Amino acid sequence: MKNQIWNLELLSNDAIKQYISDPDINQKDKVLLCLAIDVSEPKPVKSINQLGVQAGYPAIKKLNVSSILSRQKGLVIRSPNGWELTEKGKQHIKKLIGGPVAVLSNTLRANLDTITNSETKSFAEEAVQCFEAHLYRAAVVLSWVGAVSVLYSYVLSSHKQTFNSFAAKKNPKWKPANTSDDLTRMKEADFLEVCESASIIGKSVKQELQTALTFRNGCGHPNSLKLGEYRVSAHIESLILNVYSQY
């Protein structure tokens, strides 16, 4: 699993900009970084130059890119369609940018741009910051709490009457909710069920959120559960795409 991302897209053009602009990264590595964009595609020198310029490195046009790459023995190969990173080269880039967390955080931060509400975005960004600091349990719990808060606000502002009606069908003793505190009287799993029954969220979204809730519960209590960056990143990304950027 840990090598999977290196077989897909190592870095996006936008993500690479922060590394290209780093004065501590040398000329050779900046050229190699350009090969890490859409890593599965071989790149002729012309494409490498274009990628470098687009990433904020216009000085690449003055370099002899072929000469630089030909000296990187073991890190690159030249195929009929252009230059490519070898597995050793991919590992070199991985170390250069800080490993999988750095790559995954770029994806998460790109998804943050889909959130229009500033308060909601701030909450999601804090979860991403925990992820970047390797505080994985905190990232999982915090991102879930924020997502539930978003859903509570959405239900109360747009579907309060409908929600209360379906909640009463599920539990005849249910007292109509008018505030977020009122909604906390209902278990989160039941809340998702009612939202789906009332067509506030779709069945597929409910199932995805149920998975996220189960994962959150596993992370919120002392236990032997082991966490990795890919699983935690997927959890946060799913909440961003299905809740934070939607409501």
Side-chain angles (χ1 to χ4, degrees):
M1 180 64 179
K2 286 196 173 186
N3 288 326
Q4 184 176 358
I5 193 167
W6 307 110
N7 296 326
L8 299 175
E9 182 179 21
L10 192 58
L11 289 171
S12 69
N13 193 288
D14 287 337
I16 203 174
K17 291 179 180 178
Q18 63 176 301
Y19 304 109
I20 289 289
S21 63
D22 189 338
D24 293 330
I25 294 181
N26 61 39
Q27 184 183 86
K28 174 260 294 185
D29 284 336
K30 289 184 178 182
V31 173
L32 291 176
L33 278 165
C34 292
L35 292 181
I37 300 172
D38 193 12
V39 73
S40 63
E41 294 295 324
K43 299 172 182 64
V45 171
K46 182 179 179 180
S47 296
I48 297 171
N49 284 337
Q50 290 175 339
L51 289 169
V53 172
Q54 291 169 2
Y57 186 44
I60 195 172
K61 294 189 296 183
K62 299 179 180 180
L63 304 178
N64 188 331
V65 171
S66 289
S67 177
I68 291 172
L69 292 175
S70 64
R71 296 195 298 270
Q72 310 314 311
K73 304 298 183 181
L75 300 182
V76 299
I77 58 172
R78 188 173 186 176
S79 67
N81 295 321
W83 292 93
E84 303 177 58
L85 289 171
T86 63
E87 287 304 313
K88 184 177 179 181
K90 294 172 186 178
Q91 291 300 319
H92 174 76
I93 295 296
K94 177 181 176 180
K95 293 178 182 178
L96 182 68
I97 65 175
V101 168
V103 178
L104 293 171
S105 68
N106 284 320
T107 300
L108 294 177
R109 287 195 172 278
N111 286 329
L112 287 176
D113 292 336
T114 65
I115 304 173
T116 56
N117 183 284
S118 59
E119 291 184 3
T120 300
K121 185 173 183 177
S122 177
F123 211 116
E125 188 166 19
E126 190 171 347
V128 173
Q129 289 171 350
C130 286
F131 171 77
E132 292 170 337
H134 303 271
L135 302 173
Y136 294 144
R137 286 179 181 266
V140 170
V141 173
L142 185 61
S143 58
W144 174 257
V145 172
V148 171
S149 178
V150 170
L151 286 173
Y152 281 174
S153 295
Y154 177 65
V155 165
L156 293 172
S157 64
S158 303
H159 299 280
K160 182 170 69 174
Q161 184 174 350
T162 302
F163 178 89
N164 282 322
S165 175
F166 276 83
K169 291 179 182 178
K170 184 176 181 63
N171 179 8
K173 296 182 179 181
W174 175 256
K175 296 180 180 179
N178 294 299
T179 67
S180 293
D181 285 344
D182 293 339
L183 289 173
T184 62
R185 299 197 310 263
M186 180 180 289
K187 293 182 178 179
E188 291 175 341
D190 292 337
F191 172 76
L192 296 177
E193 291 285 355
V194 173
C195 283
E196 193 257 325
S197 298
S199 298
I200 297 172
I201 60 175
K203 181 179 180 180
S204 295
V205 172
K206 182 204 70 174
Q207 292 173 337
E208 182 71 11
L209 294 180
Q210 285 176 327
T211 299
L213 173 58
T214 299
F215 188 46
R216 178 263 172 226
N217 289 340
C219 294
H221 302 90
N223 52 48
S224 59
L225 179 66
K226 304 298 183 183
L227 303 178
E229 57 266 25
Y230 292 94
R231 179 64 183 89
V232 175
S233 172
H235 170 84
I236 300 173
E237 182 179 39
S238 178
L239 293 179
I240 289 175
L241 294 176
N242 292 294
V243 179
Y244 285 104
S245 63
Q246 297 297 320
Y247 306 109

